[in-house]
Amino acid sequence: MPMLDTEALKASLPFARRFARALTGDQARGDAVVAACLRHGLPDLPGHLALHAAIAREVPEDPSSAVEPLSAIQRRLMLLTALEELSLEDTALVLGLSEAEATAELAAARENLKRAATTDVLIIEDEPLIAMDLRILVQQCGHRVVGLAASEDAALQLAEQHRPGLILADINLGRGGDGMNAVRRILRISHVPVIFITAYPQKLLTAEGLEPAFVINKPFDRLSVSIATYQAVSAGKVPIA
């Protein structure tokens, strides 16, 4: 293994785990990928990029499908730039592309996202303005919002009633309870992909108990919501690892 900045590597670990989970669509599979990368050795890149690069190489690239709007490289580009918030220069390094190649593929990926599959979405958020913003963003991504829940009980009721194909959940619901607990209750009755929304994603990636495969940083934007919803839905339907 090359000499790495171990402090930078440690600092990047929670976010690299998030990338692996988003790429594979599963907590256990994502963590297994990270463990394999650490065993096999990391590429000679700066510490904050080395693990991301190893993960991108560890997960096999499936052949593109005629019904699949994003190629494997486009998925990686979108996840690294939109969710991991890496610069285009750093993303190109991680994926072994030139900046020109990365720019062209990223532009194609953003255009292809318009053809992504749609689903019914339940939003769990106690702040009315944030819930409204999320509703607009989700609808702009082509999805249907089947309910807004401000509490655990309301979330469970709506999930039972509508059986959504995707859930977007805040962590702190104020007096309405806990978003993680709401999701635990829903997952007992339905297997559905979940995206958590938080200003502190590293607090959700502690290797203790239930952890999300998909996390959006607050404040969020349309692109991050778009790629997260696409990846969450498609990872459960299209094998990508």
Side-chain angles (χ1 to χ4, degrees):
M1 181 183 294
M3 294 299 293
L4 293 170
D5 182 340
T6 55
E7 290 305 313
L9 181 60
K10 288 178 182 178
S12 73
L13 183 58
F15 305 101
R17 291 175 67 218
R18 174 176 64 178
F19 173 55
R21 293 176 180 197
L23 192 57
T24 61
D26 180 81
Q27 176 178 341
R29 290 166 65 200
D31 285 349
V33 166
V34 173
C37 290
L38 293 172
R39 287 196 305 270
H40 298 162
L42 304 181
D44 190 8
L45 290 173
H48 70 295
L49 301 179
L51 190 48
H52 281 81
I55 291 165
R57 298 170 193 179
E58 183 74 19
V59 178
E61 295 185 12
D62 284 355
S64 298
S65 165
V67 298
E68 181 69 3
L70 297 189
S71 68
I73 197 66
Q74 288 172 353
R75 282 178 182 266
R76 287 157 169 75
L77 276 163
M78 293 293 283
L79 289 171
L80 288 168
T81 56
L83 290 189
E84 296 305 309
E85 300 180 345
L86 295 185
S87 68
L88 185 63
E89 179 182 5
D90 284 348
T91 299
L93 280 175
V94 165
L95 297 178
L97 302 172
S98 69
E99 284 194 52
E101 290 171 328
T103 299
E105 288 286 357
L106 192 56
R110 289 172 174 170
E111 183 64 27
N112 290 343
L113 266 183
K114 297 176 182 178
R115 298 191 290 112
T118 62
T119 192
D120 293 332
V121 179
L122 170 62
I123 296 173
I124 305 174
E125 169 61 64
D126 67 314
E127 293 288 342
L129 291 179
I130 296 177
M132 182 176 64
D133 284 345
L134 276 173
R135 177 197 283 274
I136 292 170
L137 287 173
V138 166
Q139 290 173 334
Q140 287 176 342
C141 293
H143 302 294
R144 299 169 295 274
V145 176
V146 296
L148 301 175
S151 69
E152 291 183 29
D153 290 341
L156 183 61
Q157 182 178 4
L158 286 168
E160 290 176 332
Q161 179 181 355
H162 296 286
R163 298 288 175 167
L166 176 66
I167 294 173
L168 269 64
D170 192 9
I171 303 302
N172 185 359
L173 300 178
R175 294 183 179 180
D178 181 274
M180 292 285 283
N181 195 47
V183 167
R184 288 189 185 97
R185 294 170 65 187
I186 292 170
L187 291 180
R188 295 189 191 115
I189 64 170
S190 177
H191 181 68
V192 56
V194 181
I195 298 172
F196 284 99
I197 303 168
T198 176
Y200 305 99
Q202 63 272 29
K203 292 185 178 181
L204 299 180
L205 302 170
T206 60
E208 298 177 359
L210 175 69
E211 296 183 1
F214 304 99
V215 181
I216 293 178
N217 290 356
K218 280 186 175 180
F220 49 80
D221 60 22
R222 184 183 184 280
L223 185 57
S224 63
V225 172
S226 181
I227 184 57
T229 55
Y230 166 76
Q231 186 70 2
V233 173
S234 63
K237 297 179 179 178
V238 180
I240 61 171

